Amino acid sequence: MKSALPPDITLLQICLTLVSGLFLLSLIRIVRLVRANRRMRAETEKMDKQAALQQIEVTAIHHDAMSWRAKTQRQFDALRADLSHRLQQSDQGGVHALKDLEESHQQALAAALGKISVLEAALAAKPVAVAPPPPPAFVPPKPPPPSLPALPAMETLRVQSLESELAAAKAEIALGKQHNAVLQRALLLARRKAPVPAGRKSPQRSNARCA
């Protein structure tokens, strides 16, 4: 019996030593875990504070973005209404200007045609031949007149003046037609260059922004 006790005591000492070492290791591990847990809690609190601050900043940025979007939308609507109103005014002004131009051109053309018809009638009219007076019974001979250059007759001068007036009237009509063509071309270019009203594209843009 006495010989069997020492091995058991030695084994118990060895087990006690192992258990004591494991207990010390577990205590050290627990202390480290507690410290790490404390650090993690402090870092978690800091991260929560930073997350709250970032959430506040994101909310403020979102609010600013929404207000800017609403302001931009109001400005865009006002600009679209202004442009559409100006386009309507320009179209109406162009139509009225074209009508006035056509009316003035028609009046000028009618006046020029009337003048041309009058001039043509005057050119077509022939001078009435006047019967020569009866010769006297006896006319004493007169000395021959001195040699002078032949002057143009009154009818020739009249015809020349009428022809010059006719040419001037035709030139005036041609100039008026050219001016009318230039104005019509300028009006067409102005209509082509006029900005397209933004009302046609506003639904697409609003849908894109909402998306």
Side-chain angles (χ1 to χ4, degrees):
M1 296 295 292
K2 292 182 181 178
S3 61
L5 289 175
D8 294 335
I9 293 172
T10 305
L11 181 62
L12 289 173
Q13 288 179 353
I14 293 171
C15 291
L16 184 60
T17 304
L18 291 175
V19 170
S20 299
L22 292 174
F23 182 72
L24 290 175
L25 290 175
S26 63
L27 287 177
I28 294 170
R29 184 64 179 171
I30 289 170
V31 170
R32 289 183 178 179
L33 288 174
V34 168
R35 290 181 179 178
N37 192 10
R38 288 179 181 177
R39 288 196 299 267
M40 290 179 66
R41 285 181 180 177
E43 291 179 355
T44 303
E45 290 178 358
K46 291 180 180 179
M47 291 179 66
D48 290 337
K49 291 180 180 179
Q50 291 180 357
L53 292 175
Q54 289 180 356
Q55 184 68 28
I56 293 172
E57 291 179 356
V58 168
T59 305
I61 291 171
H62 181 69
H63 180 70
D64 293 338
M66 292 298 294
S67 62
W68 179 80
R69 181 180 179 182
K71 183 179 179 181
T72 306
Q73 186 67 29
R74 288 193 299 269
Q75 291 179 356
F76 179 74
D77 293 337
L79 181 62
R80 181 180 61 189
D82 189 14
L83 289 176
S84 61
H85 182 64
R86 289 184 180 180
L87 182 61
Q88 291 178 359
Q89 286 183 351
S90 63
D91 289 338
Q92 292 177 359
V95 171
H96 288 304
L98 186 60
K99 287 182 179 179
D100 294 339
L101 180 63
E102 289 179 355
E103 290 178 358
S104 62
H105 179 66
Q106 292 294 332
Q107 292 177 0
L109 185 61
L113 289 176
K115 188 184 291 185
I116 288 173
S117 61
V118 171
L119 293 174
E120 288 179 352
L123 286 174
K126 294 181 180 180
V128 180
V130 180
F138 176 74
V139 179
K142 295 181 180 180
S147 60
L148 294 175
L151 297 175
M154 294 299 293
E155 294 297 330
T156 305
L157 293 175
R158 184 180 178 185
V159 169
Q160 290 179 356
S161 64
L162 291 176
E163 288 178 353
S164 62
E165 290 180 1
L166 180 61
K170 289 182 178 180
E172 185 178 357
I173 291 173
L175 184 61
K177 289 182 179 179
Q178 185 178 3
H179 185 63
N180 189 12
V182 170
L183 289 177
Q184 288 180 356
R185 192 179 297 110
L187 182 59
L188 290 176
L189 289 175
R191 285 183 178 179
R192 290 178 182 177
K193 291 181 180 179
V196 180
R200 300 177 181 176
K201 297 183 179 180
S202 59
Q204 297 178 358
R205 293 183 179 177
S206 61
N207 291 329
R209 290 181 178 178
C210 292

